[in-house]
Amino acid sequence: MGPALPLLLGLALVSLSPSPIAGVHQDEAYEDYAYYDYTEEPSTISDYDLSWLTDLFDVLDECEPNPCLNNGVCDNLVEGGYKCTCPRPYKGKQCEAREDPCKKAKCGRGECVLTDKAPFYECVCELPFRGPDCRKVSRCRPSPCLNGAKCKRGRTRTQFECLCPAGYSGKFCQVGPDDCMVGNGESYRGSVSVTAEGKACLPWNSHLIPNAGEILANSVDGLGPHSYCRNPDGESAPWCFIRKKSKLDWDLCDVKTCSVPPTVPVIHEATDPPTPAPSSGQFAQCGKPEPGRATARVFGGSKALPAAHPWQASMQVRPRGSFTPFRHHCGGILVGSCWVLTAAHCINRMHEMQVELGGVNLDKAEDSEQIIPVERFIIHEDYRETPDALHNDVAMLRLKGPKGQCAKETRFVKTACLPSGPLPDATECSISGWGATEQDSYSSQLLSAKVRLISKDRCTAPTVYGNRLDDSMICAGKMEGGVDSCQGDSGGPLVCQKDGTYYVYGVVSWGDSCGVKNKPGIYARVNHFIDWIAAKLLSD
Ligand code: 4AZ
């Protein structure tokens, strides 16, 4: 059974819909009212009990709380619903998206990057090209060489070279003798800006990087309007995005390892004291990734940054009774300190299970990760697998530990909130997992993508899934294909943001193939299972 909110919204819709026979209904309502009026006539208008009217307006105020993001201004529409007026450069129903002025900009021999001020873009020229559209050529005037390097003109019109002083390197001699990294370079803030193969790094605010606008708005993890190599996601070394045959790709950079301990202490983020779990068995907060990091995700290049999906679990298995290493099998979603929501089809009674929380790289032991054995599982009583579909594909994993004290709440490990009602079709949500990509059967790095909720009508069209769907399922993805969940992502989250909080809206379940046109991903519809999930959470 669904929660109360869908019912409320249903009522609101009924009261809102302009009916062709509205006049008749109004007359009837008036007659009722007139009769009541006659028997108990109030002395003044203020004596009428108008609370029903204010109640009605309460229900109808779709701008409370403000659904518009990024300082958008909300207006209720007469015909129902709301409209957000978005400040530039934001757009979309809820001002959630950013316009891409780079689509129209002409940057010649340069890269179009997003900026904070109108016209919200600029061209970063590939020197010696210069000017607002990178079409002028000027090699050494002014000199692009840094650290006292001399600029030397080459034979052709565009050739130049920076002659670096001893100890300096890089095309512009920007890499100094102390430019080095410690460990895997997570704290590296130096100036190397080419990959190990010598490819020029794209600026982190390049419009080619799907989340460039958000990276720009939250200059965290050393990312910002520059093209230096960084390691925000636990890679083996600093890396950067590059252009490869006009497509976005990424590669590691060759940064020197420091030979002496750096003078500035390296702060290890994972040593944050964990917030004590409250006795209710729930974490202090749900659905809030680390401030500033929530939006600092890198998609498209498809890498997800640490702490951006802190409810993401890797469900790992090995044959029961064996001592072979655990391997990633499915995704999961942390919904309580001791409870992970996953897909029923991920569970095999012959498997011993554990979950890994707080990590992004499955091939590496990370300081931020927590590995917890699974004590028991509960498969939904109505779970059914047919050749056509997976019905009621949800299960709960009870982690090992005393009530409320299994996973510890840290900046890398947090619960997702459970939704309290439906979200509109076309809401932008995100999926994440270590599942199959176009290239590989599994990804060692956590990947993430944006998808949209797809209406039941569109998804049950004969060319899509026809009558194979039931109320336990929801469709999300892109009808045109390309962005989707896949094998190995099953059991993982489809989360949607509302007023800055993330709600788990779906559990990756099934679909015809992956990323194919007209075959979006099918997710177990969490709204349909709220009572079932809550009962398990409260049971223990
Ligand atoms: C799977 O096999 C699977 N494209 C998961 C998700 C989707 C397809 C298959 C959706 O686990």
Side-chain angles (χ1 to χ4, degrees):
M1 211 192 70
L5 197 57
L7 200 65
L8 264 181
L9 284 177
L11 284 175
L13 277 177
V14 171
S15 354
L16 268 171
S17 33
S19 155
I21 48 167
V24 174
H25 288 287
Q26 271 168 9
D27 287 351
E28 282 167 6
Y30 178 74
E31 270 170 29
D32 282 352
Y33 192 74
Y35 176 69
Y36 177 81
D37 196 5
Y38 180 70
T39 50
E40 265 181 65
E41 194 176 333
S43 53
T44 66
I45 189 82
S46 61
D47 288 344
Y48 286 111
D49 179 7
L50 293 179
S51 61
W52 64 274
L53 192 59
T54 33
D55 282 355
L56 189 62
F57 279 118
D58 277 349
V59 176
L60 298 186
D61 189 353
E62 303 221 21
C63 288
E64 200 48 59
N66 187 359
C68 314
L69 305 168
N70 295 306
N71 293 324
V73 176
C74 182
D75 286 307
N76 281 294
L77 295 177
V78 191
E79 64 271 29
Y82 64 87
K83 183 180 185 318
C84 294
T85 307
C86 310
R88 279 196 73 201
Y90 295 100
K91 61 172 191 179
K93 167 100 179 121
Q94 293 175 292
C95 310
E96 74 287 356
R98 214 184 136 109
E99 59 184 68
D100 184 359
C102 288
K103 280 202 179 125
K104 288 199 198 110
K106 295 213 163 40
C107 282
R109 290 288 292 273
E111 201 58 62
C112 184
V113 301
L114 303 180
T115 64
D116 277 338
K117 294 193 193 76
F120 303 106
Y121 79 94
E122 67 187 22
C123 297
V124 174
C125 303
E126 186 190 311
L127 292 170
F129 295 89
R130 298 177 197 257
D133 53 4
C134 305
R135 281 180 207 284
K136 267 176 49 190
V137 176
S138 173
R139 288 176 288 178
C140 292
R141 218 174 296 153
S143 171
C145 308
L146 302 168
N147 294 307
K150 232 179 101 78
C151 186
K152 188 178 155 216
R153 292 190 178 88
R155 270 191 290 121
T156 69
R157 204 173 70 89
T158 58
Q159 271 179 343
F160 74 96
E161 190 187 353
C162 293
L163 303 171
C164 302
Y168 288 83
S169 61
K171 182 154 190 201
F172 306 105
C173 309
Q174 80 276 20
V175 183
D178 300 330
D179 193 308
C180 62
M181 65 169 183
V182 178
N184 65 355
E186 283 186 48
S187 61
Y188 175 70
R189 297 293 179 268
S191 308
V192 174
S193 49
V194 287
T195 66
E197 286 183 357
K199 288 233 166 69
C201 292
L202 283 172
W204 292 97
N205 56 334
S206 161
H207 76 115
L208 293 175
I209 300 172
N211 266 49
E214 294 164 38
I215 290 173
L216 189 71
N218 303 274
S219 292
V220 286
D221 298 317
L223 308 184
H226 61 71
S227 46
Y228 302 133
C229 303
R230 295 288 180 257
N231 186 5
D233 62 344
E235 272 297 342
S236 54
W239 58 274
C240 68
F241 284 109
I242 51 174
R243 225 185 231 276
K244 203 171 191 177
K245 293 188 192 136
S246 80
K247 273 185 75 180
L248 187 68
D249 201 349
W250 67 277
D251 212 348
L252 295 173
C253 304
D254 207 357
V255 177
K256 230 175 25 189
T257 296
C258 303
S259 49
V260 283
T263 43
V264 183
V266 177
I267 298 156
H268 261 287
E269 298 167 327
T271 53
D272 280 358
T275 320
S279 55
S280 67
Q282 300 303 308
F283 285 171
Q285 232 186 11
C286 66
K288 296 268 185 199
E290 208 52 37
R293 286 203 176 209
T295 49
R297 294 156 297 182
V298 185
F299 301 151
S302 310
K303 282 156 143 298
L305 298 188
H309 307 272
W311 37 80
Q312 173 80 51
S314 156
M315 193 248 260
Q316 306 179 343
V317 299
R318 69 179 177 195
R320 195 165 282 289
S322 77
F323 291 97
T324 51
F326 281 94
R327 59 178 177 81
H328 171 84
H329 179 56
C330 268
I333 309 138
L334 191 70
V335 290
S337 170
C338 293
W339 290 98
V340 167
L341 177 64
T342 189
H345 84 260
C346 287
I347 293 185
N348 176 337
R349 288 164 207 282
M350 301 308 288
H351 281 159
E352 186 181 334
M353 290 182 270
Q354 68 175 24
V355 296
E356 180 176 326
L357 301 162
V360 282
N361 188 334
L362 292 182
D363 286 350
K364 270 187 39 180
E366 294 160 289
D367 291 344
S368 54
E369 78 193 18
Q370 297 178 34
I371 294 178
I372 308 173
V374 173
E375 193 178 76
R376 61 190 167 88
F377 58 81
I378 307 169
I379 294 180
H380 195 281
E381 301 73 28
D382 301 325
Y383 168 59
R384 223 162 21 93
E385 197 178 324
T386 71
D388 268 353
L390 299 175
H391 302 267
N392 302 300
D393 190 13
V394 287
M396 293 275 276
L397 307 178
R398 170 62 163 88
L399 307 184
K400 202 169 173 156
K403 184 178 165 78
Q405 294 173 44
C406 302
K408 287 178 206 71
E409 188 173 16
T410 68
R411 62 187 306 192
F412 303 100
V413 175
K414 291 179 193 292
T415 48
C417 301
L418 295 173
S420 60
L423 290 170
D425 296 331
T427 299
E428 192 175 66
C429 300
S430 80
I431 50 175
S432 49
W434 290 272
T437 64
E438 275 162 300
Q439 288 93 33
D440 290 303
S441 59
Y442 284 96
S443 161
S444 57
Q445 283 282 354
L446 180 62
L447 305 179
S448 167
K450 287 181 177 179
V451 292
R452 282 190 192 276
L453 303 181
I454 298 175
S455 73
K456 194 171 170 183
D457 279 358
R458 290 188 76 200
C459 213
T460 52
T463 49
V464 187
Y465 286 109
N467 60 5
R468 293 163 62 189
L469 307 186
D470 68 16
D471 278 353
S472 75
M473 307 166 198
I474 184 164
C475 283
K478 307 229 158 151
M479 278 297 191
E480 66 270 28
V483 181
D484 197 4
S485 50
C486 201
Q487 198 176 20
D489 294 323
S490 283
L494 165 74
V495 290
C496 312
Q497 206 183 350
K498 194 165 186 277
D499 306 320
T501 297
Y502 284 84
Y503 295 89
V504 51
Y505 207 66
V507 180
V508 179
S509 179
W510 63 276
D512 283 354
S513 191
C514 308
V516 177
K517 184 171 179 230
N518 281 340
K519 300 292 172 190
I522 309 294
Y523 298 78
R525 197 163 64 84
V526 172
N527 261 319
H528 187 76
F529 299 106
I530 290 292
D531 294 349
W532 183 83
I533 297 168
K536 309 302 164 217
L537 277 173
L538 291 173
S539 71
D540 176 30

